[in-house]
Amino acid sequence: MHLARFPRLHLAHLPTPLEPMPRLSKELGVEIWIKRDDCTGMSTGGNKTRKLEFLMAEAVEAGADMVMTQGATQTNHGRQTAAFAAKLGMACHILLEDRTGYTDANYTGNGNVLLDNLHGATTETFPGGTDMPAAMEKAAEAERANGKTVYVIPGGGSTPTGALGYVNCALELLGQANDRGLVIDLVVHATGSSGTQAGLVTGMSALNSGIPVLGIGTRAPQAKQEAMVYDLACRTAEKLGCPGVVHREHVVANTDYVGAGYGLPTESGLAAIRMFAELEGILLDPVYSGKGAAGLIDLARKGAFEGQRVVFLHTGGAAGLFGYDFALRG
Ligand SMILES: *Cc1c(COP(=O)(O)O)cnc(C)c1O
């Protein structure tokens, strides 16, 4: 496993801090640390920055003058892609799917949407249920017919190339733990389009770390989520040159905290946002990291982590708070 073999743009602020959370740990009776991937840089940071270091390097190699991606209205991935495109002098077009039906002006125009436009990206909205990959292919073809060299990034940047960013995170986290003599029993994080967990699991397995990873679902039911992560992890391991290192049982997702659906805030997710903000001064978001933390908190209270040292990987998303202010006010 030798990541230097892959093209990469060194634009992320790495390594991200690994910090204790003493007040939250005391409250929950479990030792919980946080890996600050909300601090990766590029337009307020988040987990997509690590993926985009590898994806955008491919775009540069392909001679792209335009990058295109898609996601929900408040996509963090779109915002971070727009920032990379700005930095690299590329055009950026983002296709936004209305997966929630919210008409609140902050949801449709503030938060990530505001930042997409600040970075000079163009956005186009589609009704929920649209075949977004097909819509994106169509849009890319139209731009190619105009003479553009378009690099298309699937939603969430979850390809084997993007997942290399989280293989890199596994390497970084294990290095920090080893340097400090800190034994990590479990890593917990929010999982969605699967690239984060696939990369982590592949990295942790390839390094033979023995550290399990638990993904807390934000969208799909458990069987589908685990199948997606496993499939991408296997393809990532192949790309890395270590096929077969990921076993099916390494992929574990708990999808009990999704609530009514993707992008729809839950009581437990909002409570988790308040708890992290009030006890640790850390900002989560209602779509991903808040639901991930809701799983962490509930499982800790149920005794699932007894005697363990748990690392919560903060995947970012706080820019979305300003698109969801209606859910948090009062
Ligand atoms: C995209 C995202 C996730 C999920 O990561 P995947 O790699 O898509 O599974 C988690 N948290 C935040 C804040 C995100 O933007």
Side-chain angles (χ1 to χ4, degrees):
M1 177 175 135
H2 192 4
L3 282 174
R5 294 205 177 100
F6 301 94
R8 176 178 167 195
L9 302 169
H10 291 265
L11 291 174
H13 298 169
L14 302 181
T16 58
L18 174 64
E19 301 170 335
M21 291 198 288
R23 298 192 73 214
L24 185 75
S25 298
K26 186 159 179 246
E27 175 74 22
L28 297 176
V30 179
E31 187 180 339
I32 300 173
W33 289 62
I34 188 162
K35 174 71 171 155
R36 298 295 304 271
D37 269 22
D38 55 322
C39 301
T40 51
M42 298 308 284
S43 191
T44 79
N47 64 341
K48 305 311 182 303
T49 298
R50 287 189 191 269
K51 299 177 181 186
L52 287 162
E53 281 199 323
F54 290 92
L55 290 162
M56 293 301 278
E58 271 191 13
V60 170
E61 284 211 336
D65 52 14
M66 180 175 211
V67 60
M68 204 177 274
T69 195
Q70 57 97 358
T73 306
Q74 284 291 337
T75 170
N76 300 299
H77 167 67
R79 179 242 315 157
Q80 293 186 265
T81 303
F84 270 79
K87 181 87 180 163
L88 298 168
M90 291 181 196
C92 178
H93 186 62
I94 310 169
L95 288 77
L96 301 177
E97 180 188 2
D98 175 18
R99 291 192 207 149
T100 65
Y102 291 142
T103 53
D104 185 280
N106 281 332
Y107 183 78
T108 56
N110 203 340
N112 284 295
V113 182
L114 176 79
L115 301 182
D116 294 343
N117 295 320
L118 264 184
H119 291 304
T122 51
T123 55
E124 186 182 358
T125 57
F126 293 82
T130 302
D131 180 346
M132 294 299 285
M136 189 157 64
E137 250 336 296
K138 201 172 144 206
E141 276 318 309
E143 292 294 344
R144 286 178 186 127
N146 284 335
K148 288 276 190 208
T149 304
V150 185
Y151 182 80
V152 170
I153 302 179
S158 287
T159 64
T161 298
L164 292 178
Y166 272 87
V167 172
N168 187 41
C169 181
L171 200 60
E172 184 181 299
L173 179 57
L174 196 60
Q176 288 172 317
N178 289 339
D179 286 348
R180 298 187 203 178
L182 195 75
V183 173
I184 297 172
D185 296 302
L186 177 69
V187 175
V188 177
H189 70 93
T191 180
S193 68
S194 84
T196 301
Q197 190 171 4
L200 280 177
V201 166
T202 304
M204 289 299 186
S205 301
L207 294 164
N208 206 11
S209 68
I211 301 175
V213 176
L214 171 63
I216 306 290
T218 56
R219 188 175 187 184
Q222 184 182 30
K224 185 177 174 196
Q225 187 67 33
E226 289 185 350
M228 270 167 48
V229 173
Y230 179 57
D231 173 66
L232 182 55
C234 291
R235 289 187 289 132
T236 305
E238 246 169 67
K239 185 177 178 79
L240 265 180
C242 45
V245 290
V246 179
H247 301 168
R248 178 61 188 82
E249 64 269 22
H250 295 154
V251 175
V252 183
N254 179 324
T255 57
D256 293 347
Y257 305 91
V258 176
Y262 175 85
L264 305 176
T266 55
E267 280 308 316
S268 64
L270 297 174
I273 291 173
R274 293 204 166 88
M275 205 164 161
F276 272 63
E278 291 174 8
L279 292 179
E280 297 291 344
I282 290 173
L283 297 174
L284 305 175
D285 81 281
V287 181
Y288 292 104
S289 51
K291 288 184 180 178
L296 174 85
I297 291 163
D298 187 53
L299 292 169
R301 285 185 168 146
K302 287 177 174 159
F305 309 137
E306 197 130 348
Q308 298 192 336
R309 183 180 290 123
V310 179
V311 172
F312 180 67
L313 172 73
H314 188 342
T315 45
L321 284 172
F322 306 99
Y324 277 93
D325 65 312
F326 57 90
L328 285 150
R329 246 182 258 132

